[in-house]
Structures are given as structure tokens and as C-alpha cells.
Amino acid sequence: MKCLQRIVRTVLACAIMSGALAGTWAWASLTQEQSRALREEAASGDKAALKKLMAEAQQEDPDAQWNLGILYHLGQGVPQDYGQAAQWFRKAAEQGNVQAQNSLGALYGKGQGVAQDYGQAVRWFRKAAEQGNAQAQRNLGLHYAQGLGLSKNKVVAYALFNLSAARNSSSLDKARNNRSSLARSMTNQEVEAGQALTRQVISAGSLQPLDQYLAGSTVKEKEEPGAGTPERSGLTTKQAAALQRDAASGNKAAFEKLMTAARQANPYAQFSLGVLYAQGKGVTQDYGQAALWYRKAAQQGEVKAQNDLGVLYLKGKGVAQDYGQAALWFRKAAEQGAGKALNSLGGFYANGWGLPQNKVAAYALFSLSAVQDPASKEKALNNRSLLVKEMTSQEVQIGQALTGQIARARSLKPLDQYLANPAVKRRKPRALSA
């Protein structure tokens, strides 16, 4: 089969594209208690119970799928097989099963049955944490505390440990211990901020306050030496771009002014500084520094930085290659209408990189990219043409309708609503090549 090419300014490895819309949705016929009982019976060697649990899992019962995954994970009643565990956890997780989302995140974190991928671990822990799962909240807190798959942030980690402990679950003691250990490395101001953030999350009933805090937080990983307490610089995007051009030509004064503004948390200066390091103009090429400055700008909503940080994760330059993180940043830029990001995100859906494969979603994103950005039009239309050859006429029609819905809504919410439809069959994300 043909595959999409030249996505995000480079020729990527070909990925076989398959899978269609469709299928029929089978509602669960077992309660959670019945699925658990079957699992316990199967674990003790009851083959009839295992057969029934397998049959229900194959009928798309998410609780049965999760329980079957547990059997494979623990090697109870079946030979231990992390690959099978990951497969069943994913099927349940994609239907919203909170326990499966946490379990799948744990497999990605440990590299059991899947390639180790902290970005994917964070993605699934976040989904489960949003539903109030205490174990996932603690796991997500550990990732923020250690900077695994996302920017290290003690205040957010503290809040997540608090939330986990507050649920008085099996995670209570571990979450409290994690919080106590973390607090010893925090200032009083950081602890107070963590406590306030905990209250905000509880009041909101969602993790949105975490995102809002991170968007304006100055507590970042790997802070530049001598950065000091940041005060926002007043550089405009045009002024930062002008300084970038001067610095690229060897103007040291321009570079110093750009660095000063970047350290004062100006997102345009941070992005421009990232570009200089990525291109090796005016400075020694350093993708690690590029990623650091792109991230600082991207976390403040700078759309070009979000796109370019996605590119670094895609290519594994300056950061560990991570399709999940690449998709996350392309998505953020695409939400702001960035044509390049829309095209890249379409490629990820087309090939199943870091998220479930879906041709209809890819078609809509390629179409939007072609309209949104003249510079991306040719690539986006070429990608769409290649994709159409592998789609049914019904899929193309649905893709066209979805394109119109997104354009009218001026957001990607219709895309999420389409993908959330249980009748939409999605292939699991592809793991990174070894």
C-alpha cells in the first residue's frame, strides 16, 4: 500500500494504512461485579469462567476486557503475557474504562508489552485522573515530580498527591508518603501554591486548574543558570523576529537582548531563541536548548513553538522520540489554526502514530490545513490524495462533513465528538520502532 509522505518537512518511514469505520457496538452484558467474579474464578483455574470472560471481552465489554488484561498481566489462569495485557487494557481504555486507562499507563511507564513511552503513560494516567481515579492521580503526580514525559513541576505533583490521598483509597498511604518526600524539597511558597491548587481542582471538579496553572507557571524544569525571577518582557513577535535575524547574522548584542527577554518569560523571544539553537545560527546548534526554549514558549501558548516542539518530539531531536508528545503539541497548535500542525496531526491519525488510527479524522485535518495555510496547501492536498485512495466513498463523505463541522465550530471539538462515538472503530496507536 502507499503511505503518506513528507509530513512535517521530512520523509517519514512508511506506515501501512488500514482499518475502516464501522462495526457494530455491543453493549456490555456483564456488571463490574460479574466481570470481577469471572476473573477471580478464571484466576483459580476455572476454564469455563475464562472462556466466558474472553467471550464478553471479544464482544467489546470494557470491564471484561480490563479483567482479562489483569489475568494476562499477572499470569493468573493464563500464561503471563504483557503484550496481551496491553491489548486488552487498550481496548477497554479507549472505551473510557478508568481502571484500564491507569493500567495501560503503567505498562507504558514500565515498558511492559509496549515500547516504554512516558508520553503515552502520561496521556493515559491523565485520562484516568480526570475521572477521579486515585491511583492515576498519584501516578501522574510521580511523573510531574520526576519530569517523566512532561515538564517537571513540584507544585502540580504536590496537588496530585493531595488529590489522590483525599480519596482515602488503596493509594492513600503511598500518596501521603510521596507528598511528604516531595515537600521536603519544596519552599513554603511552593507548598502553599500546591495546597491552593488542590482546592481549585476540587472546586472545579476537573484538572483544568492544573492546565491553567502550568500555562502561567514560572516553575519549569532545567531553568537557565542566572535566570533569576522572571518579569515578562514587552517584546512583540515582530521585534523578537527582528532580533532573531540580527542574532543569526552574528550580532551578539541582539542575541543578548533576545536571551534577556527570553529569561524574562517573553514567549516570542523564547521561540526565537529556540529557532537559533535549532538552526545553529549565531550559536552552536543544540537541539536540547531548542527544545527547552520551545517548551517554555509553547507552555505559554505560542503557536509556532507548539508546532516546532512537536517536530522535535517527532524526530527525536533534543528530546527522546515520543509520538504521544508530538501529537499533543501538534494538537495544541492545530487548535489555534496552525496549518502545518493540522497537516502533521492529520498524518498522525492517518498512520496511527501516538494515537488511534482514523482515516476520516486524517482526511478532515488535511482538508483544513489546505484551506488554513497556503504554505501547507500542496503538502496537505497531496497527503489527502494519497489517503483517499485507501478510503471508501462513505468514509470520504464523512470526512467532508467533519471538515465542515470543524470549520463552522472554529475548534477541534467536533473531531473529538466524532472520535468519541462508540461506533467509530479505531486501530491502536503504533509503537515506536526499536
Side-chain angles (χ1 to χ4, degrees):
M1 286 185 179
K2 292 182 179 179
C3 68
L4 299 176
Q5 301 175 358
R6 296 185 295 279
I7 296 173
V8 263
R9 301 188 299 273
T10 189
V11 177
L12 302 178
C14 290
I16 295 176
M17 298 169 52
S18 55
L21 284 177
T24 55
W25 177 250
W27 291 102
S29 59
L30 294 178
T31 64
Q32 292 182 359
E33 291 75 16
Q34 289 171 329
S35 290
R36 183 181 181 86
L38 283 175
R39 186 188 91 200
E40 292 173 349
E41 292 168 6
S44 66
D46 188 328
K47 293 184 179 179
L50 176 62
K51 184 177 180 180
K52 182 170 177 59
L53 190 64
M54 175 67 77
E56 294 297 330
Q58 291 173 339
Q59 289 296 314
E60 307 299 334
D61 183 317
D63 291 316
Q65 290 170 338
W66 177 69
N67 280 289
L68 188 59
I70 291 293
L71 292 178
Y72 278 112
H73 183 253
L74 299 177
Q76 296 179 340
V78 293
Q80 190 173 50
D81 186 330
Y82 290 130
Q84 283 291 309
Q87 175 185 326
W88 290 110
F89 286 158
R90 188 185 306 282
K91 287 179 180 290
E94 288 179 345
Q95 295 190 62
N97 183 284
V98 65
Q99 294 166 307
Q101 289 171 341
N102 181 65
S103 296
L104 183 57
L107 292 189
Y108 270 115
K110 297 176 181 178
Q112 294 179 330
V114 292
Q116 189 176 47
D117 185 334
Y118 290 141
Q120 283 293 308
V122 166
R123 175 181 176 232
W124 289 108
F125 287 147
R126 168 73 187 230
K127 286 180 179 291
E130 278 281 9
Q131 296 192 62
N133 183 273
Q135 289 181 338
Q137 289 171 341
R138 173 179 172 266
N139 288 332
L140 188 59
L142 289 171
H143 278 249
Y144 272 108
Q146 300 173 54
L148 301 175
L150 34 65
S151 296
K152 185 175 181 179
N153 194 296
K154 296 177 184 178
V155 171
V156 172
Y158 185 96
L160 286 164
F161 292 149
N162 259 347
L163 292 166
S164 177
R167 291 192 171 274
N168 198 30
S169 68
S170 59
S171 299
L172 174 62
D173 291 338
K174 290 181 179 179
R176 283 180 173 174
N177 289 337
N178 293 144
R179 183 182 62 191
S180 296
S181 296
L182 180 64
R184 287 194 288 271
S185 67
M186 298 172 68
T187 65
N188 290 336
Q189 184 180 9
E190 287 175 327
V191 171
E192 290 174 0
Q195 293 169 340
L197 185 56
T198 304
R199 293 191 293 271
Q200 291 166 13
V201 172
I202 293 173
S203 177
S206 78
L207 297 186
Q208 187 175 1
L210 294 187
D211 299 329
Q212 294 169 339
Y213 170 80
L214 287 168
S217 173
T218 60
V219 183
K220 303 289 195 300
E221 67 176 77
K222 300 180 181 177
E223 188 61 73
E224 278 286 281
T229 304
E231 294 181 7
R232 187 173 295 278
S233 165
L235 283 183
T236 66
T237 182
K238 290 184 179 180
Q239 290 171 331
L243 285 174
Q244 177 191 321
R245 288 192 297 272
D246 291 342
S249 65
N251 187 324
K252 292 183 179 180
F255 179 80
E256 287 302 322
K257 187 170 183 179
L258 198 60
M259 175 64 80
T260 298
R263 286 174 171 171
Q264 292 176 347
N266 182 282
Y268 311 122
Q270 290 169 340
F271 168 69
S272 291
L273 199 58
V275 172
L276 292 177
Y277 278 111
Q279 296 179 352
K281 293 183 177 181
V283 292
T284 302
Q285 189 174 52
D286 186 333
Y287 287 116
Q289 283 292 308
L292 185 151
W293 291 110
Y294 283 157
R295 187 186 308 280
K296 289 177 182 292
Q299 287 174 332
Q300 296 191 66
E302 212 292 328
V303 64
K304 291 179 287 187
Q306 291 171 341
N307 180 76
D308 286 8
L309 183 57
V311 174
L312 292 187
Y313 272 113
L314 172 63
K315 298 181 179 181
K317 291 185 175 182
V319 291
Q321 189 180 42
D322 185 333
Y323 288 171
Q325 281 292 301
L328 183 153
W329 289 109
F330 286 142
R331 165 71 189 232
K332 288 181 180 293
E335 276 283 8
Q336 297 194 60
K340 290 180 181 178
L342 286 164
N343 183 50
S344 297
L345 191 60
F348 274 55
Y349 274 110
N351 291 300
W353 289 323
L355 34 69
Q357 186 182 44
N358 191 291
K359 296 177 186 177
V360 171
Y363 180 98
L365 289 163
F366 289 147
S367 297
L368 291 163
S369 175
V371 173
Q372 192 73 16
D373 182 11
S376 302
K377 183 175 181 179
E378 183 178 353
K379 291 180 180 178
L381 291 178
N382 182 54
N383 286 337
R384 189 179 69 181
S385 295
L386 290 169
L387 181 66
V388 166
K389 294 176 183 178
E390 300 177 10
M391 297 174 68
T392 66
S393 58
Q394 182 184 16
E395 288 175 325
V396 171
Q397 290 174 0
I398 296 173
Q400 292 170 339
L402 182 58
T403 303
Q405 292 166 11
I406 294 172
R408 288 190 293 274
R410 294 180 180 274
S411 84
L412 296 185
K413 187 174 181 180
L415 175 65
D416 297 332
Q417 293 171 336
Y418 165 76
L419 291 171
N421 186 338
V424 176
K425 185 177 180 181
R426 290 154 287 176
R427 288 185 172 267
K428 64 182 182 181
R430 297 179 186 272
L432 292 175
S433 300

